[in-house]
Amino acid sequence: MTDTPTLPAVSREWHLASRPVGWPKPEDFAFVEVEVPQPGEGQVLVRNKYLSVDPYMRGRMSDAKSYVAPFELGKVMQGGAVGEVVASNAEGLSVGDHVLHFFGWREYAVVNGKNAVKVDPEAAPLSTYLGVLGMTGLTAYAGLLRTAAFKEGDTVFVSGAAGAVGGQVGQIAKLKGASRVIGSAGSDEKVKLLMEEYGFDAAFNYKDGPVGKQLRAAAPDGIDVYFDNVGGDHLEAAIGSLNEGGRIAVCGMISVYNNTEPAPGPKNLARLIATRGRIEGFLVGDHYDLQPQFVQEIAPWVASGELKYRETVVEGIENNLEAFLGVLRGDNTGKMIVKL
């Protein structure tokens, strides 16, 4: 083992105490202290610096059958994190290196070297590897370009457009020649951000009136692509405005994650027959082959300022749960990050 800096005796972490019913409650979680773990052969010990909280984590708190295993009761939860290697038994990783990994919700994590991705804090701020240059960005890139088969000249509608994924979807579409990009968001401040900073052609506050009516006003000639982060009335509105050959990429449905009863589906699905429309769900994990292409194309846009991003930063691991609940409420603009 390489030289190890002096470490505290304990590490703080969040455990799932019980499976939430409806909206998660503080008593569903436990904030505990454990001994700082030690890395074994081929492993590194990472002091986490930034943690990611994301809507999909709500699904992992349930034990319903899904695309990923649920969080285990009484054990630490997981999520994207970036941190500094403070002890190493892994070839190719040294103390002082910074790595991206999936063992968040804790201060210190033991990570297998093969699962730790080295990142360069000089090339971009560490937090961006959890957002615009990380899984969030790749989700936007793959969903728009591969799943929705975006092409130049398309009119694109994005729900949850001021969120980490949605904001990037709209900007990539504009940079790649969309004829019109429309976004929905949950506050006038976020609508202003979409229009004035992200360069959307139109945006509306979905709380101001029926989504279908507002979308028709923003896209009188219909839409070719809908990137869905919300579901519910947004999905129904998009189907109602879909042009012939339109495509819908379903990334998330945050409007239904805390429902205790199944949400009714769109009432206008039959319209897909006339429009020859297509709805397809996707998971970013199926598209990691695009990662090199994604970084090669997106990083220069980020560096030049052509592609803008926002982060909502919450300080302290003790506030990790509140940051997560904030994502579910829509408190964040851009990527929600917890800084340790």
Side-chain angles (χ1 to χ4, degrees), residues 32-69:
V32 303
E33 290 186 348
V34 299
E35 288 186 13
V36 172
Q38 294 302 313
E41 189 64 33
Q43 296 180 324
V44 293
L45 176 65
V46 180
R47 180 173 60 230
N48 287 331
K49 291 190 172 183
Y50 294 93
L51 307 177
S52 176
V53 286
D54 304 279
Y56 78 86
M57 293 174 175
R58 176 61 184 87
R60 295 197 67 188
M61 294 171 188
S62 166
D63 60 0
K65 184 175 177 60
S66 184
Y67 62 88
V68 66

Side-chain angles (χ1 to χ4, degrees), residues 38-114:
Q38 294 302 313
E41 189 64 33
Q43 296 180 324
V44 293
L45 176 65
V46 180
R47 180 173 60 230
N48 287 331
K49 291 190 172 183
Y50 294 93
L51 307 177
S52 176
V53 286
D54 304 279
Y56 78 86
M57 293 174 175
R58 176 61 184 87
R60 295 197 67 188
M61 294 171 188
S62 166
D63 60 0
K65 184 175 177 60
S66 184
Y67 62 88
V68 66
F71 292 134
E72 294 184 57
L73 290 177
K75 294 190 176 180
V76 63
M77 294 182 289
Q78 297 176 336
V82 64
E84 182 180 358
V85 174
V86 293
S88 178
N89 281 324
E91 188 175 344
L93 291 173
S94 304
V95 170
D97 286 344
H98 290 83
V99 294
L100 174 68
H101 61 89
F102 205 68
F103 293 92
W105 290 81
R106 70 199 83 186
E107 288 180 300
Y108 288 85
V110 167
V111 183
N112 288 330
K114 62 182 180 180

Side-chain angles (χ1 to χ4, degrees), residues 293-312:
Q293 175 184 323
F294 158 70
V295 172
Q296 184 178 20
E297 190 164 12
I298 298 298
W301 284 342
V302 173
S304 69
E306 291 175 273
L307 195 153
K308 299 173 176 59
Y309 67 94
R310 288 284 193 95
E311 294 175 340
T312 299

Side-chain angles (χ1 to χ4, degrees), residues 115-137:
N115 295 330
V117 179
K118 193 183 297 188
V119 296
D120 183 0
E122 299 298 322
L126 284 174
S127 59
T128 63
Y129 294 104
L130 295 174
V132 66
L133 293 178
M135 185 176 73
T136 301

